[in-house]
Amino acid sequence: MTAIQTFFLQGSVSTLLSSQSSVTSCRKVSLKFTVSCCSATSPLAVVNGNVEKRPSDRTEVRIGLPSKGRMAADSLDLLKDCQLSVKQVNPRQYVAEIPQIPNLEVWFQRPKDIVRKLVAGDLDLGIVGLDTVCEYGQGDEDLIIVHDALEYGDCRLSLAIPRYGIFENVNSMKELAEMPQWTPERPLRVATGFTYMGPKFMKENGLKHVTFSTADGALEAAPAMGIADAIVDLVSSGTTLRENNLKEIEGGVIVQSQAILVAGRKSLMQRKGALDITHEMLERLEAHLRAEGQFTVTANMRGSSAEEVAERILSQTSLSGLQGPTISPVFCKRDGRVTADYFAIVICVPKKALYKSVQQLRAIGGSGVLISPLTYIFDEETPRWRQLLSTLGL
């Protein structure tokens, strides 16, 4: 193969082949590597057909957020709830900032481009769906999942087949793979936008005779139109599948997905400030998400001692709190003397058990019950932070 020279011009990659290169050679080169859209300071270099990454000399840390759709709105809402509001001067601009973290730039990108630019080193952190990381990250070891459950964007990447015809009695991947209809001359036709995960999943499940057609929208119509036998697509409630006479089958879920925080390994290890910023964001996210749906319940209770009050509280299953109740004396002045006939108790209660907890408090003598939502619950140390340090070998 002839030598390749690569030049970075205005964010694009220009590849020059010598005049002796044949069309076949060009095709071989294009299959050996893929270069995503990069900035003028991209850390990618192509040497003899191989992609090499080099550290960028920029000093700011960059996080990618989805630019459009429900995922974009939910990501901004989550960051705002964590006191990390994104300040965007002009809604037409793709770059913004989070004033609470001075050295952090926010870049609004398509989810698939966030993953690609994390791999390339043009972004250091990103919030996207797990399905997007699996599809466009393709198992790249440089991608590290920092937080795997941001609790929005829930969906699943799933295989769906018609409810009728030859598929009427097919209810599992095993049964689909054993159907005699699929031959080299007549393969199973699958329509999908997931051109990496789809074929990988089919191969892992023993389906050898499969062809894929690429499509981005309205996949549910493909089987009815006769252009596909099955689809691989994202499913939330399953209503659209049912309305188009399609069904999911046992073993057909490829990945359960939701929004995650992902980072580039090299960025965390080499970019100044990246690990510290990741730590702060992770702590804020963990503290907020742990407090979600939790309430602080405060009440007064008469008792002879803190221990006696604690015995009464812990006899009720809904009043144990996170680690147990906090009990402190309530002082008042009576007949010229300071006494503590009452004790204040504070417990943390999940929303679903809130009313039951209030009832139990009243039953054992609680009064003046006050309830307020929790905003954050900070642990002594975030478990996911320890896990991240272990993954990085630190």
Side-chain angles (χ1 to χ4, degrees), residues 96-311:
E97 62 178 5
I98 297 177
Q100 290 82 0
I101 306 180
N103 197 41
L104 181 64
E105 284 185 353
V106 177
W107 286 81
F108 294 101
Q109 301 283 297
R110 294 183 302 176
K112 61 183 179 181
D113 289 335
I114 290 175
V115 177
R116 288 168 174 165
K117 289 176 182 179
L118 281 167
V119 172
D122 294 319
L123 292 173
D124 307 304
L125 296 160
I127 293 179
V128 290
L130 177 60
D131 59 287
T132 307
V133 173
C134 293
E135 174 66 17
Y136 296 98
Q138 300 186 3
D140 193 300
E141 293 183 356
D142 192 56
L143 293 175
I144 295 178
I145 296 175
V146 178
H147 198 299
D148 60 352
L150 297 181
E151 298 185 9
Y152 64 93
D154 292 340
C155 61
R156 57 190 177 275
L157 181 60
S158 189
L159 174 80
I161 59 175
R163 294 177 176 273
Y164 49 85
I166 61 174
F167 298 102
E168 184 175 0
N169 296 316
V170 175
N171 296 300
S172 69
M173 285 299 299
K174 183 175 183 295
E175 292 171 352
L176 180 66
E178 291 174 351
M179 291 179 69
Q181 284 87 347
W182 318 131
T183 65
E185 294 76 26
R186 175 58 175 93
L188 175 69
R189 299 168 303 159
V190 180
T192 185
F194 290 82
T195 56
Y196 172 75
M197 293 289 289
K200 181 174 180 287
F201 177 73
M202 291 298 190
K203 183 178 179 181
E204 291 171 350
N205 281 271
L207 281 135
K208 299 178 181 178
H209 308 304
V210 187
T211 59
F212 292 85
S213 58
T214 304
D216 292 324
L219 291 181
E220 293 84 2
M225 294 177 70
I227 59 178
D229 302 304
I231 67 171
V232 170
D233 201 10
L234 294 175
V235 180
S236 295
S237 64
T239 301
T240 306
L241 291 181
R242 291 190 293 272
E243 289 178 347
N244 286 275
N245 218 7
L246 300 175
K247 64 182 179 181
E248 295 177 89
I249 57 178
E250 181 184 345
V253 175
I254 301 173
V255 63
Q256 291 281 357
S257 181
Q258 64 174 299
I260 63 172
L261 175 64
V262 63
R265 181 188 298 268
K266 286 186 175 63
S267 292
L268 295 180
M269 297 293 290
Q270 299 175 11
R271 177 123 15 246
K272 183 179 179 181
L275 196 58
D276 290 336
I277 287 174
T278 302
H279 187 199
E280 179 176 347
M281 293 194 69
L282 185 56
E283 287 220 298
R284 287 175 179 260
L285 289 167
E286 285 274 74
H288 170 69
L289 292 171
R290 191 177 180 202
E292 192 81 4
Q294 298 282 342
F295 289 80
T296 298
V297 177
T298 305
N300 290 335
M301 187 175 296
R302 189 184 291 273
S304 59
S305 67
E307 290 76 11
E308 185 266 328
V309 171
E311 291 252 358

Side-chain angles (χ1 to χ4, degrees), residues 324-339:
T326 299
I327 302 172
S328 55
V330 176
F331 294 98
C332 62
K333 196 169 185 179
R334 185 174 298 139
D335 298 329
R337 295 176 55 200
V338 175
T339 61

Side-chain angles (χ1 to χ4, degrees), residues 13 28-38 44-46 49-53 116 119-120 136 138:
V13 178
K28 286 181 180 178
V29 170
S30 67
L31 290 174
K32 289 199 71 171
F33 62 88
T34 302
V35 180
S36 62
C37 296
C38 304
L44 283 179
V46 182
N50 296 315
V51 175
E52 293 184 354
K53 299 175 187 176
R116 288 168 174 165
V119 172
Y136 296 98
Q138 300 186 3

Side-chain angles (χ1 to χ4, degrees), residues 80-93:
K80 183 178 180 180
D81 289 340
C82 296
Q83 304 299 310
L84 294 174
S85 294
V86 176
K87 184 179 180 182
Q88 190 177 15
V89 177
N90 185 340
R92 294 181 179 273
Q93 291 180 334

